[in-house]
Amino acid sequence: MTKTLYAEFTVKEGSETRVAEMMATLTEHVRNEPGNVMFLPYTRETNPREYFVFEVYLDEQAFQEHIGADYGREFNAELADHIEGDGSALTWLNPLIQP
């Protein structure tokens, strides 16, 4: 079964450009992972500091490989300095109908 999540975070004022750069780099890395099915980062139309990331991985093993990647750990460590709150809010999702 696929592993699907939705992550949300709000960027601090003044960090918008840096986080956009970081997200572009992360997106390229994640989309090249063999177990990644989908990685779609968005910002809210009415507030571009609010990020929403939809992620789908082939299975639990693919997700574990994703979170074990050095570039992901580096991204999350730096992101912590640029976002409001203690970190991203994660929502785990189950499909109603299997693809």
Side-chain angles (χ1 to χ4, degrees), residues 1-2 4 93-99:
M1 179 191 288
T2 59
T4 305
L93 304 170
N94 288 320
L96 291 175
I97 301 169
Q98 291 296 321

Side-chain angles (χ1 to χ4, degrees), residues 3-11 19 22-24 26-27 30-31 36 38-44 49-57 63 66 75-76 79 88-93:
K3 186 79 171 177
T4 305
L5 73 109
Y6 177 75
E8 302 176 61
F9 59 87
T10 301
V11 175
V19 172
M22 292 168 56
M23 184 58 72
L26 179 69
T27 299
V30 174
R31 287 181 176 174
N36 178 258
M38 189 177 302
F39 188 86
L40 300 172
Y42 292 89
T43 59
R44 185 181 300 273
R49 290 180 33 235
E50 293 181 36
Y51 274 70
F52 305 89
V53 185
F54 182 71
E55 306 177 42
V56 181
Y57 300 90
F63 178 71
H66 163 71
F75 172 86
N76 287 322
L79 184 66
S88 300
L90 303 180
T91 302
W92 299 98
L93 304 170

Side-chain angles (χ1 to χ4, degrees), residues 59-92:
D59 52 26
E60 180 65 30
Q61 180 179 342
F63 178 71
Q64 291 303 318
E65 290 172 8
H66 163 71
I67 62 172
D70 289 340
Y71 52 81
R73 281 193 298 275
E74 292 167 6
F75 172 86
N76 287 322
E78 184 176 350
L79 184 66
D81 294 333
H82 296 288
I83 63 174
E84 297 176 357
D86 293 331
S88 300
L90 303 180
T91 302
W92 299 98

